[in-house]
Amino acid sequence: MRLEFLSGISKKTGVPAGILGRGAAGIRKLRIWKSRRRGSAVVLLCILFISLTGALAVTYEAADRKAAIAVSEAAFSLAGRSQLACYDKELFERYSIFAFEGDEEKTGRRIKKIASDSIENTKVAGCKVKKAEAEQGAYSIADPDNFMMQLRQIEKKSAVPDVLASLKGDLNVADRKLKDRENSGKMMKKLEEEQKAAKAASSDAAQPSEDQAGDAAAAGSSIADIEKAENIQENLRKNAKNITGEPASGTGPTAGGRQLRNREISENLPSAAAGRGKGGAFAGGTVINNFANSGAGAASDDLITIAYIESRFRNMLDQETADKSFFKGETEYILYGCLSDEENYKKAYHSIFAIRLAMNSAFLFTDPQKSSETLAAAEALTPGPFAPLTRMLIIAAWSAIEAENDMKNLENGNGVPFLKSSSSWMTDMDSAVNGNASGYIAIPGGSNMKYHRYLDMLLITMDRDTKLYRCMDLIQINLKGTARDDFTIADHYTGLVISAEIAKKSHAVGVPGSESSIKMTHTYFTEE
């Protein structure tokens, strides 16, 4: 076979021209060239095989790592839900509060064990929980925001008391009446000053010269009239002051009242720790004004809190169901925070009496018929310039006597309308003038403004957090006495944040192992 020699590559064979030659030497060169060419191909194929194997190993390891993370997240999610499932049974059954007990270290250990067991059961090779921690501080039930979140869930289907809603419609009327009463109070002070000035002037005029003998008789008569008027007015003041606005001590609702004497318990109450142990609802004559200012725009949280208090805590006049509460007057405790049933009830009684006194006085000043009656009586008792002040004193005494009758109605389970009318006004003016009121006259009509509704009015005047801290106090006191003596609100939580580190061992040669971080939050409720 004739070969064609070229300086480069043979066009016919593709073999380098330098290899081709004649005879045995050419054949040997050709064989060597072909052998070397086959070795290069094998090396290339090996390189390709190793590269593909490495890529598959990396891909497998990445997929295995993702699977390990997914399994680990599922395991910690299960551990978190398991922790929430360990809620305090007594706390939930009695007060509908979801919270679990335990410190962060104990919770972290429990979370780690549950997650580790779950991961092992899924047979994820080389996956191990390196560290697991639980952060609970932000979810303490002792935080009023966390406590309030639970109340929103509990009461979101409960209607806000209709009476509170209807009271808002009466507030504008009450506000106008109270302004009239306030103006009348200023007028009373002015009349008293004028009457004192008139008496002083008459006393000076009672020492006349010989030329003023005729005027002396007139002056003496004026002093006598003033003294007579003053005696009548002083009796009216006494009649009003005799109505003290205080309940009978040791009898009626206060009988059998309790007092918390254990200082270790009282000093560790949530309200004490938060500095909310003292103070509370507005007292005295400011109750109505504060209710008028805050009640009309009361936040939904306040109304939800009141609905919760009504459904979970009793008051001094609501003793139909015997429960395991320490205080008889739990609502009164929420209002005033005293450690004695009697002291709390006295303050509540006095505050409600102040409400009734203010509203009764406003009614007498603004009702045409009652206003005419008081003016006619004043002119009959002390005619002339003394009548206006006497009228003011009659109104004060009559309002107090009517308020006392109102309180007796409330204590006997009857309702007392927030805004009085002629049909619901029960006492007569003779009782005020002569101070001879006794017993009580039942108010007809079946008003739903009973004792607990007046407590609702007082609750509206309190800030939200004080109400919530006092609720926590009662829960802690009651469960210490009935469930376990080491119960504390501060050790209970409504959620937790889990932080964990997962170590994953690699199964591929040359591929390092990996570590992953997991962080998740578990709570009973979330804000909507």
Side-chain angles (χ1 to χ4, degrees):
M1 178 176 176
R2 186 173 177 274
L3 299 175
E4 184 178 344
F5 293 92
L6 298 172
S7 60
I9 302 297
S10 172
K11 293 181 179 179
K12 186 175 182 180
T13 64
V15 179
I19 295 176
L20 297 176
R22 297 177 181 273
I27 293 171
R28 283 196 302 273
K29 289 181 179 180
L30 181 61
R31 287 175 178 174
I32 292 170
W33 178 83
K34 288 182 177 179
S35 174
R36 289 176 178 174
R37 188 174 182 183
R38 285 196 298 269
S40 298
V42 170
V43 171
L44 178 62
L45 290 173
C46 288
I47 291 172
L48 291 174
F49 177 76
I50 292 171
S51 298
L52 288 172
T53 303
L56 288 172
V58 171
T59 303
Y60 169 79
E61 189 62 32
D64 192 38
R65 187 179 301 172
K66 286 185 178 180
I69 292 173
V71 169
S72 299
E73 288 179 344
F76 278 100
S77 178
L78 173 63
R81 292 196 301 272
S82 297
Q83 182 62 34
L84 294 182
C86 297
Y87 61 88
D88 192 301
K89 184 178 178 182
E90 290 84 2
L91 181 61
F92 173 73
E93 289 183 349
R94 187 162 176 185
Y95 296 105
S96 303
I97 299 294
F98 273 115
F100 63 86
E101 185 179 17
D103 57 57
E104 291 183 344
E105 184 179 353
K106 180 179 178 181
T107 302
R109 289 198 303 268
R110 186 172 187 273
I111 292 292
K112 183 177 181 179
K113 185 179 186 309
I114 294 174
S116 297
D117 292 345
S118 299
I119 292 171
E120 288 178 6
N121 290 334
T122 57
K123 298 181 180 179
V124 178
C127 188
K128 183 179 180 182
V129 179
K130 190 174 181 181
K131 184 176 72 172
E133 295 177 343
E135 299 173 19
Q136 303 171 173
Y139 297 95
S140 172
I141 198 67
D143 184 328
D145 290 333
N146 294 331
F147 196 89
M148 189 68 235
M149 190 185 300
Q150 296 243 355
L151 299 197
R152 293 190 195 108
Q153 299 296 324
I154 295 168
E155 300 295 342
K156 65 182 179 181
K157 295 183 179 180
S158 300
V160 173
D162 293 336
V163 174
L164 287 177
S166 66
L167 278 176
K168 293 180 182 180
D170 295 334
L171 288 176
N172 290 331
V173 178
D175 192 43
R176 289 196 301 270
K177 289 179 178 291
L178 289 170
K179 287 179 180 177
D180 292 337
R181 177 178 178 266
E182 183 179 350
N183 294 333
S184 300
K186 294 177 180 178
M187 186 183 297
M188 181 184 290
K189 292 182 179 179
K190 182 179 179 181
L191 291 171
E192 288 176 340
E193 292 173 358
E194 290 177 355
Q195 190 164 294
K196 288 179 181 178
K199 181 178 180 181
S202 298
S203 179
D204 292 340
Q207 305 297 329
S209 64
E210 292 181 358
D211 297 333
Q212 298 171 325
D215 294 335
S221 176
S222 178
I223 292 174
D225 291 340
I226 291 174
E227 290 177 347
K228 179 182 177 182
E230 284 183 337
N231 289 334
I232 293 173
Q233 291 168 355
E234 184 61 27
N235 287 332
L236 290 171
R237 288 191 182 92
K238 288 180 179 179
N239 292 343
K241 289 180 180 179
N242 287 336
I243 310 299
T244 61
E246 297 287 340
S249 179
T251 61
T254 60
R258 293 179 175 177
Q259 181 175 358
L260 182 60
R261 302 179 187 276
N262 189 318
R263 292 187 61 184
E264 183 179 354
I265 292 177
S266 62
E267 291 175 356
N268 289 284
L269 292 174
S271 64
R276 303 296 183 102
K278 297 181 179 179
F282 294 104
T286 61
V287 172
I288 288 290
N289 300 73
N290 282 289
F291 181 65
N293 293 332
S294 63
S300 60
D301 278 358
D302 288 308
L303 300 178
I304 288 172
T305 303
I306 291 171
Y308 180 77
I309 290 170
E310 278 197 6
S311 63
R312 299 305 190 283
F313 302 105
R314 61 180 181 175
N315 61 64
M316 292 292 285
L317 302 184
D318 177 21
Q319 303 295 315
E320 293 182 2
T321 56
D323 57 22
K324 300 176 182 178
S325 301
F326 177 80
F327 288 117
K328 288 181 63 180
E330 293 181 303
T331 306
E332 291 86 349
Y333 172 82
I334 293 171
L335 284 167
Y336 300 104
C338 298
L339 301 179
S340 161
D341 271 331
E342 184 172 357
E343 189 66 25
N344 286 321
Y345 182 66
K346 282 183 178 180
K347 290 188 175 183
Y349 187 102
H350 183 262
S351 294
I352 298 173
F353 179 85
I355 293 175
R356 292 308 327 148
L357 182 64
M359 296 312 299
N360 292 343
S361 179
F363 175 73
L364 291 178
F365 276 120
T366 56
D367 181 72
Q369 181 181 351
K370 297 296 182 185
S371 180
S372 297
E373 289 181 22
T374 56
L375 180 58
E379 289 177 345
L381 290 170
T382 56
F386 315 110
L389 179 57
T390 303
R391 175 175 176 263
M392 297 290 184
L393 295 172
I394 290 174
I395 288 175
W398 200 2
S399 299
I401 288 174
E402 182 73 11
E404 184 179 54
N405 188 69
D406 292 340
M407 296 306 298
K408 291 177 180 177
N409 272 273
L410 292 175
E411 285 192 320
N412 282 277
N414 299 327
V416 177
F418 180 59
L419 297 175
K420 281 294 184 79
S421 64
S422 297
S423 61
S424 58
W425 190 273
M426 305 312 297
T427 59
D428 56 39
M429 192 164 42
D430 289 340
S431 300
V433 173
N434 300 319
N436 58 0
S438 61
Y440 89 98
I441 307 170
I443 299 175
S447 170
N448 54 6
M449 276 299 294
K450 297 186 178 182
Y451 177 73
H452 69 282
R453 294 303 184 198
Y454 282 95
L455 296 182
D456 292 342
M457 290 179 61
L458 297 175
L459 287 168
I460 282 184
T461 68
M462 296 177 65
D463 68 278
R464 186 203 71 170
D465 286 359
T466 300
K467 288 194 285 279
L468 296 179
Y469 279 120
R470 301 261 175 86
C471 288
M472 296 178 206
D473 288 353
L474 293 172
I475 293 172
Q476 183 165 305
I477 291 169
N478 292 336
L479 292 185
K480 270 184 176 293
T482 59
R484 56 189 184 278
D485 57 9
D486 62 344
F487 179 93
T488 57
I489 286 289
D491 290 339
H492 286 72
Y493 302 90
T494 64
L496 72 161
V497 177
I498 298 174
S499 300
E501 292 182 6
I502 307 300
K504 176 68 174 68
K505 182 180 178 182
S506 174
H507 297 284
V509 178
V511 179
S514 64
E515 291 187 0
S516 303
S517 297
I518 294 175
K519 191 167 186 176
M520 59 180 62
T521 300
H522 290 275
T523 61
Y524 291 108
F525 303 111
T526 57
E527 291 284 10
E528 297 180 355

